[in-house]
């Protein structure tokens, strides 16, 4: 399979060319991604939906992450990223139905990888039951809801864990319901400022929608 080619940018956000995905991560080059956080409301409570990343992913295997996310390929813009929702979750929605949160820079790293992302971030409210999602099992192995207010307390160090509830898929494809305690170490290590911006924005969206 041909490797993905990504647009790359300088520190000021100016386009400087294209590069193979592996080199982008090896060299720590700025590139664009699409992020969509699905949320739902239950009376006064707001819940965020996390995906559990596949154990074979090259970055952050088995961690809980943004509901749906992916790289924007060379020549693509944020509108093209909506495909990730259908590919990963079987959820066909229009770009216009998404709620724009903003463009957030996020830097994370693992051995041999420096991931510098210019993230185009969106919210999407949905009360679709989890069993209706059709997940791309090559990319993720489960979906779990976490209360937003508890996530904010976790991020601020007020509590050490939160309750995550949903389902995971076993290697044989069977689905199991789960309810477990997770801490910050179980989440993908996005920058604290990234999570703060997203959580505040989702809270505002839920309050005004």
């Amino acid at each position: 399979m041909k490797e993905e080619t990504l647009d790359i940018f300088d520190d000021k956000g100016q386009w400087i060319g294209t590069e193979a995905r592996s080199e982008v991560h090896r060299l720590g080059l700025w590139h664009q991604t699409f992020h969509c956080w699905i949320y739902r409301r239950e009376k006064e409570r707001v819940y965020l939906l996390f995906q559990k990343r596949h154990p074979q992913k090259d970055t952050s295997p088995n961690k809980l992450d943004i509901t749906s996310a992916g790289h924007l390929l060379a020549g693509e813009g944020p509108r093209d990223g909506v495909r990730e929702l259908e590919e990963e979750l079987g959820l066909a929605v229009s770009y216009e139905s998404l709620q724009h949160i903003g463009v957030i820079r996020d830097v994370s790293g693992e051995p041999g990888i420096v991931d510098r992302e210019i993230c185009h971030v969106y919210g999407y409210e949905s009360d679709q039951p989890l069993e209706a999602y059709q997940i791309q099992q090559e990319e993720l192995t489960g979906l779990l809801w976490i209360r937003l207010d508890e996530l904010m307390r976790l991020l601020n160090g007020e509590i050490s864990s939160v309750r995550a509830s949903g389902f995971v898929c076993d290697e044989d494809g069977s689905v199991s319901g789960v309810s477990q305690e997770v801490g910050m170490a179980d989440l993908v290590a996005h920058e604290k400022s990234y999570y703060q911006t997203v959580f505040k924005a989702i809270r505002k969206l839920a309050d005004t929608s």
Side-chain angles (χ1 to χ4, degrees):
M1 182 181 295
K2 184 178 179 180
E3 187 174 6
E4 295 175 342
T5 300
L6 311 180
D7 285 319
I8 55 174
F9 302 82
D10 64 17
D11 289 341
K12 295 181 179 179
Q14 299 297 312
W15 182 86
I16 55 174
T18 62
E19 187 57 84
R21 173 176 170 169
S22 60
E23 286 298 284
V24 168
H25 285 160
R26 185 180 71 83
L27 298 172
L29 302 172
W30 287 105
H31 56 288
Q32 296 188 107
T33 55
F34 170 88
H35 295 179
C36 185
W37 289 89
I38 291 179
Y39 68 96
R40 65 178 172 89
R41 292 176 290 175
E42 285 187 7
K43 297 181 180 180
E44 299 302 315
R45 291 178 177 175
V46 180
Y47 293 80
L48 277 183
L49 186 60
F50 285 75
Q51 65 161 263
K52 184 171 184 180
R53 293 171 63 82
H54 195 279
Q56 300 302 319
K57 293 291 289 184
D58 60 350
T59 58
S60 303
N62 283 320
K63 301 276 186 170
L64 300 185
D65 200 8
I66 304 151
T67 323
S68 181
H71 288 88
L72 296 179
L73 304 180
E76 291 188 328
R79 179 179 291 270
D80 299 296
V82 74
R83 66 167 179 270
E84 298 292 339
L85 287 159
E86 187 162 14
E87 290 177 358
E88 293 187 341
L89 306 175
L91 189 63
V93 300
S94 67
Y95 176 78
E96 288 73 21
S97 68
L98 305 182
Q99 298 162 299
H100 187 237
I101 288 176
V103 180
I104 308 173
R105 291 195 176 205
D106 183 49
V107 180
S108 59
E110 298 184 18
I113 293 176
V114 179
D115 198 7
R116 289 191 171 95
E117 297 188 356
I118 301 170
C119 314
H120 299 269
V121 187
Y122 299 83
Y124 182 72
E125 183 174 3
S126 176
D127 58 2
Q128 174 172 292
L130 291 185
E131 59 266 23
Y133 287 95
Q134 301 174 15
I135 67 169
Q136 185 180 16
Q137 294 189 30
E138 297 83 2
E139 296 290 326
L140 60 147
T141 59
L143 293 172
L144 298 98
W145 290 109
I146 304 178
R147 277 176 50 179
L148 178 58
D149 61 330
E150 293 186 347
L151 281 165
M152 296 177 80
R153 293 181 64 202
L154 177 69
L155 187 66
N156 291 332
E158 299 171 21
I159 55 177
S160 60
S161 65
V162 294
R163 175 65 57 176
S165 301
F167 73 87
V168 294
C169 295
D170 299 325
E171 291 184 3
D172 61 3
S174 60
V175 176
S176 303
V178 295
S179 181
Q180 62 191 61
E181 292 290 317
V182 299
M184 286 301 301
D186 299 302
L187 308 183
V188 170
H190 297 291
E191 291 186 275
K192 183 176 181 179
S193 59
Y194 172 89
Y195 279 125
Q196 288 175 326
T197 301
V198 169
F199 294 169
K200 289 178 181 178
I202 295 293
R203 177 75 262 182
K204 185 175 180 179
L205 289 174
D207 288 343
T208 58
S209 62

